[in-house]
C-alpha cells in the first residue's frame, strides 16, 4: 500500500511541476499567444499588480468555489495542493527562465510549452489524487454535458481567453492553438500515463477512471 501511494504522489507532484513548466514557457512566448487562463492572469496582473502566480491561485479559488456549488462536493486535497504548487512555481519558473529575445525563441518556448504542459496535465491527473481547479471544472463539464476532454477543454479555454482579452490580456493566434490542441495532447497523455503508472504499482487499487 505504501508503494502504491508513493508512486501515485510521485506522479502527481512531478506532473504538476512539468505542467507548470509548460505553462510558464508559453507565457515566455506570449508574443505568439499565451494560454487562455494566462491571458486572464496577465490582464489581472497588469491591472492590479501582485504576480501572475498569485492570480493563478486567486482564480483557482474562484473556480473551486463554483465547482463545489455545482457538484456539492469538497475537492480532494490534491486539488488544493495543485493550486498552491502551480501558483508558486509559475512565478519561480518565470524568474529562472531566460527571456525570449527573438521571435524564433518565442516560437520555441510556445511550441515546447504546449507539449510539456499537455503531458504534465495527463501525468498529474493519472493518479486520481485530485485534479486542479480548472481541470476539475473540465471533468465536471465532460461528466454533465458529455463529449470528450478535448471538446470540453477547448470550449472552456476559448471562453476564458475572450474574457482575458476583453480585460486587455495578450490574446494571440497561439491562444487559439493552445485551446484547440492542448486537449488533444491531454487526451493522449492521460491514458498513456495511467498505463505507465500501473506498471510501477501493479494494480488498480484506489485509481478509478474518470470516464
Amino acid at each position: 500500500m505504501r508503494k502504491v501511494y508513493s508512486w501515485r504522489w510521485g506522479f502527481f507532484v512531478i506532473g504538476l511541476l512539468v505542467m507548470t513548466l509548460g505553462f510558464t514557457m508559453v507565457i515566455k512566448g506570449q508574443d505568439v499567444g499565451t494560454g487562455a487562463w494566462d491571458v486572464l492572469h496577465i490582464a489581472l496582473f497588469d491591472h492590479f499588480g501582485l504576480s501572475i502566480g498569485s492570480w493563478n491561485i486567486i482564480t483557482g479559488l474562484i473556480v473551486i468555489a463554483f465547482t463545489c456549488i455545482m457538484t456539492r462536493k469538497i475537492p480532494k486535497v490534491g486539488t488544493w495542493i495543485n493550486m498552491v504548487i502551480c501558483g508558486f512555481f509559475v512565478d519561480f519558473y518565470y524568474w529562472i527562465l531566460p527571456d525570449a529575445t527573438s521571435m524564433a525563441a518565442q516560437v520555441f518556448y510556445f511550441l515546447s510549452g504546449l507539449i510539456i504542459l499537455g503531458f504534465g496535465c495527463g501525468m498529474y491527473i493519472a493518479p486520481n489524487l485530485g485534479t486542479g481547479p480548472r481541470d476539475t471544472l473540465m471533468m465536471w463539464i465532460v461528466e454533465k454535458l458529455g463529449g470528450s476532454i478535448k471538446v470540453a477543454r477547448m470550449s472552456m479555454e476559448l471562453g476564458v481567453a475572450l474574457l482575458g482579452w476583453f480585460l486587455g490580456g495578450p490574446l494571440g493566434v497561439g491562444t487559439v492553438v493552445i485551446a484547440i490542441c492542448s486537449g488533444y495532447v491531454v487526451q493522449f497523455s492521460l491514458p498513456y500515463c495511467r498505463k505507465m503508472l500501473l506498471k510501477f504499482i501493479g494494480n488498480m487499487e484506489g485509481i478509478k477512471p474518470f470516464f
Side-chain angles (χ1 to χ4, degrees):
M1 181 63 70
R2 181 176 297 178
K3 173 186 174 182
V4 171
Y5 277 100
S6 295
W7 276 110
R8 289 177 67 191
W9 279 106
F11 261 62
F12 179 80
V13 172
I14 293 173
L16 287 180
L17 297 179
V18 171
M19 181 184 70
T20 307
L21 174 61
F23 277 125
T24 311
M25 291 178 71
V26 171
I27 292 173
K28 284 287 186 175
Q30 64 181 271
D31 286 352
V32 180
T34 189
W37 285 97
D38 288 317
V39 174
L40 178 60
H41 298 153
I42 293 170
L44 293 170
F45 166 69
D46 289 339
H47 281 292
F48 303 107
L50 298 179
S51 69
I52 297 173
S54 297
W55 284 111
N56 190 301
I57 294 174
I58 292 169
T59 57
L61 285 171
I62 295 172
V63 171
I64 284 177
F66 174 79
T67 307
C68 285
I69 293 171
M70 300 306 296
T71 63
R72 299 180 181 179
K73 295 179 181 179
I74 301 297
K76 296 179 180 180
V77 64
T79 299
W80 302 95
I81 294 174
N82 175 302
M83 180 180 64
V84 174
I85 287 180
C86 288
F88 175 81
F89 274 93
V90 162
D91 289 339
F92 175 73
Y93 286 138
Y94 193 83
W95 177 60
I96 65 173
L97 288 174
D99 293 333
T101 57
S102 67
M103 181 53 68
Q106 294 262 351
V107 172
F108 171 78
Y109 265 138
F110 176 82
L111 293 177
S112 300
L114 173 60
I115 296 171
I116 290 170
L117 75 87
F119 186 84
C121 185
M123 188 173 184
Y124 95 81
I125 292 176
N128 197 21
L129 291 172
T131 57
R134 298 153 189 83
D135 291 316
T136 299
L137 179 60
M138 177 185 70
M139 300 307 294
W140 175 78
I141 292 173
V142 172
E143 179 183 346
K144 293 299 180 181
L145 302 181
S148 64
I149 291 176
K150 58 179 177 286
V151 172
R153 191 180 187 94
M154 185 189 311
S155 302
M156 181 178 68
E157 294 202 348
L158 285 174
V160 171
L162 289 175
L163 175 61
W165 174 75
F166 178 77
L167 294 174
L171 184 68
V173 64
T175 306
V176 179
V177 172
I178 291 176
I180 294 174
C181 296
S182 62
Y184 286 92
V185 180
V186 177
Q187 191 85 0
F188 165 79
S189 66
L190 179 54
Y192 173 81
C193 289
R194 287 178 61 84
K195 291 178 181 178
M196 185 167 58
L197 177 58
L198 290 176
K199 289 182 179 180
F200 292 111
I201 65 176
N203 59 62
M204 288 289 292
E205 182 179 359
I207 306 181
K208 298 178 181 178
F210 285 109
F211 42 83

